[in-house]
Amino acid sequence: MSDIPSPAPAAANPAGANLYALLQAHFPADREACCIETQEGLRYSWDEVDRSSARLAGLLAGLGLPAGARVAVQVEKSPEAMLLYLATLRAGYVYLPLNTAYQEAEVDYFIGNAEPSLVVCSPRNEAWMRGLVARHRVPHLLTLGEARDGTLLEAAAGRSDRFETVHRAPEDLAAILYTSGTTGRSKGAMLSHGNLASNALVLHRYWRWRPGDVLLHALPIFHVHGLFVAIHGALLNGSTMIWLPRFDPKAVIVRLPRATVFMGVPTMYVRLLDDPGFDANACRNMRLFVSGSAPLLPDTFRQFEARTGRRILERYGMSETTMLTSNPYDGNRIAGTVGLPLPGVRVRVVDEAGASCPTGEIGAIQVRGPNVFAGYWRMPEKTKEEFTADGFFRTGDMGRWDANGYLSIVGRNKDLIITGGYNVYPKEIESYIDELPGVFESAVIGVPDRDFGEAVTAVVVPKAGEQVDAGAIVASLKSRIANFKVPKQVHVVAELPRNQMGKVQKNLLRERFGG
């Protein structure tokens, strides 16, 4: 199975208008109903969301920002931060969220590259941010704190609570998301109003959002998963969001009985399973658990089902494309796979010559659809390089079609190990190691080797209270896989390094064990 087309979705926005107009059109009739409930018990009605975003949009418009201006935002998660995102869309500008973990030197690059007209930062970072803003000649700097403090809200307080949403065509730019930049400089993926609207509508139908759904939101909102997938889904459905400033297992467990939908990264599900209070009773009203942003271990999938009676739905997406594939809502959800192409999305797996790979054969994943980005910010040559002649985006991921028609991801192309002339895909080896007794998880990397070019190396984390023997792991693998795939070295560590979205940072492992 090489190229699976799916039925095209309905028109994303019949007026070809601003994404905010689409979301606003789906607000519930009862505008006094609760849209957001915070951990502290604050409640924001749908009417308040509309009026508050209008004030902020009015403020942005009043600054005299040029058409297409970028609004760079590095603030902690809060309802006001979401309102700023909506206001930026509403005013017709381009939203640029920045990971809150980025330090001054990293933010310096983003501001220099994106050239925003406005930067909004946390009050505690104002001093060093002011230096960057001056260096890059950014006209405006405002602050927004977690406790509804800062100069942004002060400046917006006197604005009108009515604002006519600026018209935008589907191809107009709505957001720029910078890639993680684990290899080389980060690239700014340009996402249009049409990209985001089409994906939101498809997921709304595919995941069966329904009246009465309540989203428990514990993800950060500088990333596709928390900002676009979760928030757009709830807003498009008119659903209440129970809003947590950050993930905390006990805070999630306490609120789960009031929720029906939860979206998380694999680390969150592991932490929930570590808590004895997480059980079927806590999940009694839940209908959908979604996992993404990093691979979910099959063992975690099985443990979760055994504990709760529910199967996690795993999906596949990228900053450049939003969501691409998903395990089905009604059909079988299979551990270790990312399911089928979403409606309107085409996915193909090809070999080095560009020919379709047969079922079971590993190849490069390429995608095309209304959700796929326009290109990289100010990188026309890189953009051209990443698209095929017939318009497919080269994701950089390697995968295969399984016999059931589902897509499985085996790793990033940059993680491919070439040892003695043979190709080794880390995910395949990791899947064997993770099944061994006492192993919690593993990461397989290639390190420089005089004889083989690269040597297959495994980094293994044992289960709590258990021990694993490197020699036993090697011996077991030798009986199951080709010898060239067997790790030359096995390192046992307490945990794997991860970024904030739960992705294993293999570049750090290569630096640590490359000697």
Side-chain angles (χ1 to χ4, degrees), residues 132-151:
L132 296 185
V133 164
R135 182 184 311 150
H136 294 288
R137 296 185 174 88
V138 178
H140 304 282
L141 172 66
L142 295 168
T143 62
L144 175 62
E146 293 178 81
R148 291 170 291 140
D149 55 335
T151 58

Side-chain angles (χ1 to χ4, degrees), residues 291-343:
S291 180
S293 302
L296 181 75
L297 292 174
D299 190 49
T300 303
F301 179 93
R302 291 188 288 266
Q303 286 183 39
F304 194 92
E305 183 178 14
R307 181 85 67 87
T308 67
R310 287 158 173 77
R311 287 190 164 191
I312 297 172
L313 184 150
E314 192 169 7
R315 86 301 180 277
Y316 166 51
M318 305 177 68
S319 296
E320 293 92 338
T321 65
T322 58
M323 297 303 100
L324 292 163
T325 73
S326 171
N327 269 261
Y329 181 79
D330 295 312
N332 191 20
R333 301 174 193 174
I334 302 176
T337 77
V338 291
L340 303 163
L342 289 169

Side-chain angles (χ1 to χ4, degrees), residues 1-3 349-351 355-363 399-403:
M1 187 177 301
S2 59
D3 181 359
V349 178
V350 300
D351 61 22
S356 298
C357 290
T359 298
E361 185 176 305
I362 294 171
R400 64 170 178 264
W401 295 114
D402 294 338

Side-chain angles (χ1 to χ4, degrees), residues 414-435:
K414 64 180 176 61
D415 291 330
L416 171 69
I417 302 167
I418 303 177
T419 180
Y422 293 103
N423 289 353
V424 175
Y425 296 94
K427 185 66 178 177
E428 179 188 10
I429 316 305
E430 290 163 2
S431 66
Y432 285 108
I433 296 175
D434 292 344
E435 293 176 353

Side-chain angles (χ1 to χ4, degrees), residues 13 57 154 265 349 371 438 498:
N13 196 334
E154 293 172 5
V265 300
V349 178
N371 53 308
R498 282 186 159 82

